[in-house]
Amino acid sequence: MSTPASPARTARTGLLALGAVAAPVLFTLAWAVLSLVSDGYTIGGDHISPYSNLTQPISGLGLGTTAPYMNTAFVLSGVLLAAGLVGFFRIVRGGRAVWRRISLVGLGLAPVGLVLIGLFDLESPGLHFLGVVLAFQLPFLVFIATGLHLRGVDGFRRLGTVLLTVAVPLTLVGVVLFQLTFDEAATADGEGVAGLTQRLWLTEVWCWFAVLGWAAWRAPKR
């Protein structure tokens, strides 16, 4: 059963929602700048150098001399995204309760994932890759629930349709493309294009978080 849709925005919740826009900006600037100054990193006793955005994963910046800065960026991005999602769900009301709850829980796991990535680097692969799943792989499914939720909210129906028809397939393509191009041995040898495909995938996911935050910020005040 649907509940009445009533998107609303106040100054405070609008600023909170913009956290979902600030998080991608911080994250992207962090890896873009740090990749220019990285002298490589050591993992499993092997030193990988030079660092290349084409071949190396962003998580490589969480090791070596850039580690304190990149890992801090992971955590701060998670905090900003969490604030953005709080603002988003305060503003975007209505729709079917079941899809709203699934969307809230699913999207809420992304900031948790980012914090895990920042706290546990590649030397702790279990928790590190759990963070990657929560932050960047799970959204493939969560965008389905979010799209269905927004389809029931006045003023957000079009965005819900875009999530279902564009965000979901693009995120799936990003996940699959990275998996197909990633090879641990090639990455260690500074070969392949896994660094590029990962950045395309993660940037695509971040763009949708930013779209959600921006749409909530622009919602009418009540």
Side-chain angles (χ1 to χ4, degrees):
M1 180 176 179
S2 296
T3 56
S6 57
R9 182 175 75 86
T10 65
R12 181 172 296 179
T13 54
L15 288 175
L16 272 178
L18 285 179
V21 179
V25 173
L26 170 63
F27 181 85
T28 304
L29 283 176
W31 70 253
V33 171
L34 293 175
S35 65
L36 298 177
V37 299
S38 174
D39 57 359
Y41 59 96
T42 300
I43 183 169
D46 296 323
H47 185 69
I48 300 175
S49 180
Y51 184 88
S52 168
N53 286 325
L54 178 65
T55 63
Q56 302 300 317
I58 293 173
S59 293
L61 295 169
L63 297 169
T65 57
T66 56
Y69 311 103
M70 190 67 236
N71 291 330
T72 298
F74 275 121
V75 174
L76 289 180
S77 296
V79 172
L80 285 171
L81 181 59
L85 293 174
V86 168
F88 174 80
F89 282 103
R90 284 185 178 179
I91 291 169
V92 182
R93 305 171 186 174
R96 293 193 63 180
V98 62
W99 293 124
R100 177 180 172 84
R101 292 191 188 104
I102 294 173
S103 176
L104 190 155
V105 173
L107 290 177
L109 290 174
V112 175
L114 286 163
V115 172
L116 283 176
I117 296 171
L119 295 179
F120 301 96
D121 59 30
L122 287 172
E123 297 283 11
S124 303
L127 289 173
H128 184 85
F129 289 117
L130 173 60
V132 173
V133 170
L134 295 179
F136 298 110
Q137 292 185 358
L138 187 60
F140 157 63
L141 295 175
V142 177
F143 288 158
I144 297 175
T146 306
L148 292 171
H149 165 48
L150 295 180
R151 287 280 294 268
V153 181
D154 289 340
F156 290 86
R157 298 182 192 276
R158 181 176 297 178
L159 177 55
T161 299
V162 171
L163 285 178
L164 291 170
T165 59
V166 182
V168 171
L170 277 182
T171 304
L172 176 60
V173 168
V175 173
V176 172
L177 183 60
F178 173 70
Q179 295 297 331
L180 290 175
T181 55
F182 176 75
D183 179 86
E184 187 174 348
T187 299
D189 292 337
E191 300 175 352
V193 294
L196 175 61
T197 57
Q198 186 198 53
R199 282 163 174 78
L200 291 174
W201 159 38
L202 268 54
T203 299
E204 182 267 337
V205 174
W206 272 122
C207 283
W208 293 113
F209 283 125
V211 166
L212 292 176
W214 186 258
W217 181 75
R218 293 193 61 189
K221 291 182 180 180
R222 186 180 65 176

